[in-house]
């Protein structure tokens, strides 16, 4: 762990300027802002009764140095954009590590390049690699708290992103990044272009000098989810694919886990549905995670298990192959020849 910032650790009054944000990793990598009117402000009770640091989108920012930090590295941020949509031809930088030199930067930010709303260039995740090199990712709407985990590795694919615990589709770098460890929160400063600032808030930041295992990443994301009550979508596993004979009943063994959020309704509803297949499917109880299914005819069927927690949903699919049952009777009318090797009373390898 190279950096760990928690807004809860700031002993400030609501609205006070943040001159120093102390690193809790034990590395001493504090971030600071010496200019009074460039300091972000302390937000008491910003989410789930916990504090955050708010950046005004005009000139606020915090800077620091983490020491040389080449890939692999992982950034985890709990943040919120104030605006639902990104301003035209603008970038909101949450965090940036490194310099604007080719393959020397890693960042988490949102951008809009003045396109029609909803295109791949509006309100989307944007990771600067340096010197105009970048990769893009999913839509990031504002006015909601999000846990973003950005991974920068040394082997292809070199970039990964998880949003609220769910892996996203993002671009990959041609080469791994090698940063100098300089870090900015809430801004991207570059002398040759207009500076870009974050209009939004940050509650917690973690930077690791490695890529995380799946177990490590899930542990960190679960800790943040519970701490800030962000609400992750349920995790759904429909179960293994299976094959049955015509007329038989398939046993569906799904699994659904949830963080118990939101508090209302505080429960998860589930539903099995048919996605594809040649015939009808009759579920024993489509609202139960573990249930049965019967099929009107042979063929391959795709079944989907969906879970909904009142705010977010997730689903998973599995396949059931229904085959015609083998017949034990051979029609003998008109039969001229019938040979079965099983009828030969011979030892293995004997001549016939």
């Amino acid at each position: 762990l190279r950096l760990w910032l928690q807004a809860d650790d700031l002993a400030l009054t609501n609205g006070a300027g943040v001159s120093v944000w102390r690193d809790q990793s034990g590395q001493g990598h504090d971030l600071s802002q010496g200019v009074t009117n460039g300091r972000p402000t302390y937000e008491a009770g910003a989410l789930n009764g916990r504090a955050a640091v708010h950046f005004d989108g005009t000139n606020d920012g915090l800077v620091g140095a983490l020491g040389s930090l080449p890939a692999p590295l992982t950034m985890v941020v709990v943040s919120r954009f104030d605006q639902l949509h990104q301003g035209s031809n603008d970038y909101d930088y949450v965090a940036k590590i490194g310099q604007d030199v080719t393959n020397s930067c890693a960042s988490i930010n949102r951008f809009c390049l003045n396109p029609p709303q909803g295109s791949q260039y509006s309100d989307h995740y944007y990771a600067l690699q340096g010197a105009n090199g970048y990769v893009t990712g999913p839509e990031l709407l504002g006015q909601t708290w999000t846990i973003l985990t950005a991974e920068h590795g040394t082997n292809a694919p070199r970039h990964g992103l998880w949003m609220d615990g769910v892996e996203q589709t993002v671009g990959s770098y041609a080469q791994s990044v090698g940063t100098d460890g300089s870090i900015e929160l809430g801004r991207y400063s570059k002398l040759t272009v207009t500076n870009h600032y974050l209009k939004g808030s940050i509650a917690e930041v973690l930077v690791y000098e490695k890529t995380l295992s799946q177990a490590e990443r899930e542990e960190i994301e679960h800790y943040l989810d519970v701490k800030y009550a962000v609400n992750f979508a349920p995790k759904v596993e429909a179960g293994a694919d299976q094959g049955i004979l015509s007329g038989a009943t398939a046993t569906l063994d799904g699994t659904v886990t949830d963080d118990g959020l939101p508090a209302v309704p505080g429960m998860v509803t589930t539903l099995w549905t048919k996605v594809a297949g040649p015939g009808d499917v009759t579920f024993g109880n489509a609202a139960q995670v573990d249930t049965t299914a019967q099929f009107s005819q042979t063929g391959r069927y795709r079944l989907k298990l969906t879970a909904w927690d009142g705010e977010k949903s997730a689903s998973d699919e599995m396949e059931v192959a229904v085959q015609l049952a083998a017949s034990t009777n051979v029609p003998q009318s008109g039969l001229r020849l019938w040979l079965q090797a099983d009828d030969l009373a011979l030892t293995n390898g004997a001549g016939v």
Side-chain angles (χ1 to χ4, degrees):
L1 181 62
R2 187 71 71 93
L3 177 70
W4 187 6
L5 304 175
Q6 303 177 84
D8 276 345
D9 293 327
L10 296 167
L12 298 172
T13 58
N14 190 47
V18 179
S19 59
V20 179
W21 198 349
R22 299 292 182 190
D23 174 24
Q24 302 300 313
S25 73
Q27 304 290 336
H29 296 142
D30 303 339
L31 272 65
S32 63
Q33 175 55 266
V35 180
T36 301
N37 67 359
R39 292 170 181 169
T41 54
Y42 178 79
E43 282 186 289
L47 71 163
N48 200 34
R50 295 185 177 275
V53 175
H54 184 262
F55 297 79
D56 65 4
T58 302
N59 58 2
D60 288 353
L62 293 168
V63 298
L66 307 180
S68 178
L69 187 59
L73 66 96
T74 303
M75 307 163 66
V76 186
V77 179
V78 182
S79 62
R80 177 187 186 273
F81 300 101
D82 283 355
Q83 298 172 304
L84 181 63
H85 298 294
Q86 189 67 26
S88 179
N89 196 30
D90 187 29
Y91 303 73
D92 266 19
Y93 272 79
V94 178
K96 181 181 77 73
I97 301 175
Q99 301 295 326
D100 190 22
V101 180
T102 303
N103 302 322
S104 300
C105 182
S107 72
I108 292 178
N109 55 287
R110 184 176 76 162
F111 78 118
C112 176
L113 293 183
N114 197 24
Q117 199 68 47
S119 81
Q120 65 173 321
Y121 296 113
S122 64
D123 300 332
H124 279 242
Y125 170 83
Y126 177 100
L128 181 69
Q129 187 187 6
N132 298 319
Y134 63 90
V135 296
T136 60
E139 185 178 51
L140 296 178
L141 294 179
Q143 301 178 359
T144 184
W145 287 92
T146 305
I147 299 172
L148 294 171
T149 303
E151 178 181 278
H152 303 271
T154 55
N155 300 315
R158 295 178 177 85
H159 185 46
L161 178 72
W162 289 261
M163 183 165 62
D164 291 341
V166 178
E167 187 170 10
Q168 305 295 310
T169 299
V170 291
S172 178
Y173 302 138
Q175 300 179 42
S176 59
V177 298
T179 82
D180 64 0
S182 59
I183 182 170
E184 295 180 284
L185 288 188
R187 77 176 195 185
Y188 164 49
S189 58
K190 181 181 178 184
L191 294 177
T192 58
V193 298
T194 302
N195 293 345
H196 297 286
Y197 294 92
L198 167 67
K199 186 173 179 58
S201 302
I202 301 174
E204 192 156 341
V205 179
L206 300 100
V207 178
Y208 289 86
E209 54 188 29
K210 66 174 186 176
T211 54
L212 303 174
S213 68
Q214 179 178 339
E216 290 173 327
R217 178 180 53 77
E218 290 180 348
E219 181 179 9
I220 293 166
E221 291 169 339
H222 177 71
Y223 147 74
L224 295 171
D225 178 31
V226 172
K227 180 177 180 178
Y228 295 107
V230 171
N231 183 30
F232 283 7
K235 292 185 177 181
V236 181
E237 295 181 9
D241 296 342
Q242 57 181 284
I244 63 171
L245 297 178
S246 178
T249 299
T251 298
L252 306 181
D253 184 19
T255 303
V256 173
T257 57
D258 187 55
D259 56 12
L261 299 171
V264 178
M267 59 182 293
V268 176
T269 57
T270 58
L271 183 67
W272 282 98
T273 55
K274 169 192 163 185
V275 177
D280 297 327
V281 180
T282 302
F283 295 99
N285 185 339
Q288 294 292 324
V289 175
D290 296 330
T291 188
T292 59
Q294 293 181 316
F295 306 86
S296 63
Q297 65 184 76
T298 59
R300 292 186 176 275
Y301 294 80
R302 293 296 300 175
L303 305 181
K304 179 167 68 175
L305 175 60
T306 302
W308 166 253
D309 68 5
E311 279 187 357
K312 298 179 179 180
S313 65
S315 62
D316 189 36
E317 297 181 7
M318 53 87 69
E319 182 178 282
V320 178
V322 183
Q323 300 176 333
L324 187 67
S327 175
T328 58
N329 299 315
V330 175
Q332 296 189 24
S333 176
L335 181 63
R336 185 67 68 88
L337 178 68
W338 185 5
L339 301 176
Q340 300 181 85
D342 281 345
D343 294 332
L344 296 170
L346 299 172
T347 59
N348 189 48
V352 179

